[in-house]
Amino acid sequence: MKLNPFVQAGIGLTFALLWSCPTLAALTEAKNYGLEVKVTGQSEDDRDLGTADGGDVNGVGLDLRPWVYGESGAWSAYAMGQAVTSTDIIETDTLQQSDNDGAQTTDNGDRKTRKNYLAMREFWVGYSGLTPYPGEMLKLGRQRLRNDDGQWRDSNIEALNWTFDTTLLRANAGIAERFSEYRTDLKELAPKDKDRLHAYADAAYQWTPGNWVGIRGHHTHDDGKLDYPEPGVAGDSLDKKQNGDISWLGLTADSDAYNWRNTNTVNYWGSITGMSGDTDTVNALNADGTRPTEAKTGEDLNGWATDVGVRLRLDPQWQVGAAYARASADYEQNGLESNRSNYTGTRSRVHRFGEAFRGEMNNMQTATLFGSWMLNDEYDASLVYHKFWRVDGSKPVGSNGINAVENDTDDVTGAILSSTSLPLQDGNKDLGQEMDLVVTKYFKQGLLPAALSQSIDEPSALVRFRGGVFKPGDAYGKEVDSYMHRAFVDVIWRF
């Protein structure tokens, strides 16, 4: 039986409140429950690059996240709820999926982001008794899956995940599938997530002090039922149009570069990934509204991607670095990524492909220069410059941050009849450039159980500015605005 999202959230929050009572909390050595309060202000201008009315966001949101954690012997459990209210549809969550921005047009409104909603972010049970090593745990439930570069996994999803973390060897293995968003506003899954199973594993070995080499793999099996168009019946953006099987295999090497605590003079990272698979895609109706001869089209996919970078420590406070990433025309990421990491060397996680543009590893190459600064445990800042190009000038790219459209207007009245995604200019590879600034002030340290390191990766109080200004390149044509920006001010306090 499928529960109403309100019921789902209510069950989870009731569980969290019951668990936080003194009787159950006494199972742990400490009083492990609390409340994270996050206030976010967002200013955004021209996500559509001036191609449509609107495209601006200006508002403030309050995000309350009660959490509770308990241990008993080798067993542990964790739950975090969420209640959001805001003056506009803003992003209080850096893990928010790209299609949760309220731009979805559906016939039933089952996937439309609201200003106010309740949610369950995480609820899992863990067992750490499979091996005698303290860094080992098996978790079952909705949990935060994350790897260091954020390009493979950084998402809250239902999973069975095993983690092994020791001085010389780190490994992860698991399966995951999204069954619900557990939000009162998003009652349906995005089409790409319906019936899509993820299986993954990775391992890294410290072959010499501070230097790691690793291998990682990921496979998605998508056998969801496809929704075929019917003549005379309006389609819905939640119709599933593609499924298939795709596999990724990658090699990595780094100097623990994503660990902001390391004091290396030179840090480096590098990865190379191959991808192969096959997909089935639903064919659209013919121009006259009749069914196509073939209901779907099969396609074999093969692609590769790489990301390399180096960071130099000038003194205990200042670092500078450069990075380069490239993904072939047919390469795509697995759908669990956030592309956020500590690659600039600070505690603040920064989007690898622009806070405004938010590029994806898909038919894109990126050159990046950055500088960063840290003062004790009180301040950090990163200034980043990106230049973006297409690899194949005749194919599209993926970007979470841009939603430019092409309008079909009435010749007489000028009214907009329909809008479709703006096609990039054929042959032009220049996507644009961006400057990002991320500055954080930390107030105090908070001590949390080690098992929560994946779920809560910030200190107990901070104020952070995250912003980017993007200047579109020739690939977007001459009719778009010259700049767009996206900026956030986050205030976080944990009780």
Side-chain angles (χ1 to χ4, degrees):
M1 181 179 67
K2 184 176 180 180
L3 296 177
N4 181 282
F6 283 97
V7 177
Q8 293 173 339
I11 292 173
L13 289 172
T14 301
F15 166 70
L17 290 173
L18 287 174
W19 192 17
S20 65
C21 73
T23 302
L24 295 178
L27 292 175
T28 66
E29 296 180 1
K31 184 182 178 182
N32 293 322
Y33 58 89
L35 175 68
E36 176 182 315
V37 179
K38 184 175 185 181
V39 179
T40 299
Q42 179 177 348
S43 173
E44 180 179 315
D45 184 38
D46 285 344
R47 177 184 304 195
D48 51 37
L49 302 182
T51 58
D53 292 335
D56 301 337
V57 176
N58 290 283
V60 177
L62 174 64
D63 187 339
L64 302 178
R65 303 178 186 180
W67 64 271
V68 59
Y69 172 78
E71 291 181 6
S72 180
W75 292 92
S76 60
Y78 176 74
M80 174 181 272
Q82 187 174 25
V84 175
T85 183
S86 58
T87 61
D88 200 345
I89 297 177
I90 68 173
E91 299 175 24
T92 64
D93 188 356
T94 56
L95 298 184
Q96 186 166 307
Q97 297 293 310
S98 61
D99 55 9
N100 289 357
D101 58 10
Q104 285 280 352
T105 54
T106 68
D107 296 330
N108 51 31
D110 280 348
R111 190 174 178 83
K112 183 173 179 60
T113 305
R114 308 291 180 181
K115 296 179 183 179
N116 309 306
Y117 63 88
L118 298 175
M120 282 300 297
R121 291 177 62 82
E122 294 189 61
F123 45 88
W124 52 258
V125 175
Y127 179 69
S128 57
L130 297 178
T131 73
Y133 294 95
E136 178 266 332
M137 178 174 285
L138 181 70
K139 290 182 184 178
L140 175 64
R142 182 173 170 85
Q143 57 191 282
R144 173 87 171 271
L145 299 181
R146 191 181 74 195
N147 69 307
D148 286 342
D149 63 15
Q151 295 176 15
W152 286 55
R153 299 187 302 276
D154 192 11
S155 181
N156 293 326
I157 188 173
E158 300 89 315
L160 176 64
N161 180 75
W162 179 74
T163 298
F164 185 82
D165 190 353
T166 64
T167 303
L168 296 179
L169 181 65
R170 298 188 300 225
N172 294 274
I175 56 174
E177 183 173 345
R178 203 176 301 280
F179 297 104
S180 172
E181 298 286 3
Y182 301 96
R183 285 176 47 159
T184 54
D185 53 347
L186 304 181
K187 303 173 185 178
E188 293 290 336
L189 290 173
K192 65 181 181 181
D193 286 329
K194 294 178 180 178
D195 300 304
R196 190 179 198 191
L197 176 68
H198 300 261
Y200 57 88
D202 60 72
Y205 174 68
Q206 187 174 201
W207 61 278
T208 189
N211 293 273
W212 296 78
V213 293
I215 185 171
R216 53 190 181 182
H218 194 110
H219 178 76
T220 58
H221 174 63
D222 187 346
D223 62 352
K225 182 178 180 297
L226 297 177
D227 297 310
Y228 296 96
E230 298 182 20
V233 178
D236 192 295
S237 64
L238 296 187
D239 289 346
K240 191 171 182 66
K241 299 296 185 182
Q242 186 180 82
N243 62 15
D245 291 88
I246 305 176
S247 298
W248 293 261
L249 182 64
L251 300 175
T252 64
D254 67 81
S255 61
D256 209 19
Y258 298 104
N259 178 7
W260 61 272
R261 294 181 177 88
N262 87 52
T263 57
N264 300 338
T265 301
V266 177
N267 276 292
Y268 67 89
W269 71 87
S271 66
I272 180 86
T273 303
M275 182 207 76
S276 65
D278 57 82
T279 60
D280 289 322
T281 303
V282 171
N283 291 326
L285 295 175
N286 297 322
D288 60 1
T290 59
R291 287 190 174 90
T293 304
E294 298 290 336
K296 62 183 180 181
T297 300
E299 181 181 9
D300 292 328
L301 297 178
N302 290 283
W304 67 275
T306 187
D307 182 18
V308 295
V310 63
R311 191 173 69 243
L312 175 65
R313 186 179 301 277
L314 303 178
D315 61 31
Q317 296 180 7
W318 293 92
Q319 300 181 72
V320 295
Y324 174 78
R326 180 185 177 96
S328 64
D330 292 329
Y331 185 86
E332 61 184 63
Q333 294 180 269
N334 61 50
L336 299 184
E337 75 284 344
S338 71
N339 291 321
R340 291 188 173 276
S341 69
N342 305 93
Y343 72 92
T344 64
T346 70
R347 193 184 319 185
S348 300
R349 299 170 67 241
V350 181
H351 200 294
R352 179 64 184 85
F353 308 114
E355 294 289 337
F357 184 64
R358 298 184 183 179
E360 301 172 8
M361 297 283 269
N362 170 228
N363 192 31
M364 188 182 73
Q365 58 180 330
T366 309
T368 302
L369 297 173
F370 62 87
S372 63
W373 169 76
M374 286 194 301
L375 180 61
N376 303 322
D377 290 329
E378 298 182 18
Y379 298 92
D380 65 40
S382 298
L383 182 64
V384 187
Y385 170 79
H386 301 281
K387 178 67 177 176
F388 306 105
W389 301 269
R390 277 194 289 179
V391 172
D392 186 329
S394 63
K395 293 185 176 181
V397 298
S399 172
N400 290 336
I402 304 298
N403 186 32
V405 300
E406 182 176 58
N407 297 316
D408 179 20
T409 59
D410 187 280
D411 294 335
V412 178
T413 65
I416 297 177
L417 301 177
S418 64
S419 295
T420 57
S421 295
L422 178 71
L424 298 177
Q425 299 294 303
D426 194 31
N428 283 326
K429 296 185 177 181
D430 180 14
L431 292 170
Q433 53 191 319
E434 177 168 337
M435 286 293 297
D436 291 340
L437 177 64
V438 179
V439 181
T440 308
K441 160 63 176 172
Y442 304 95
F443 290 102
K444 66 177 183 178
Q445 294 290 335
L447 298 178
L448 294 172
L452 301 189
S453 61
Q454 289 288 86
S455 302
I456 300 177
D457 55 358
E458 299 283 9
S460 58
L462 63 84
V463 175
R464 173 174 293 145
F465 171 83
R466 297 180 287 120
V469 177
F470 174 71
K471 185 179 188 302
D474 293 340
Y476 285 99
K478 304 295 185 182
E479 304 302 318
V480 300
D481 278 2
S482 55
Y483 293 95
M484 69 85 62
H485 81 266
R486 180 180 286 112
F488 299 85
V489 175
D490 296 319
V491 179
I492 298 175
W493 193 276
R494 292 191 174 89
F495 296 94

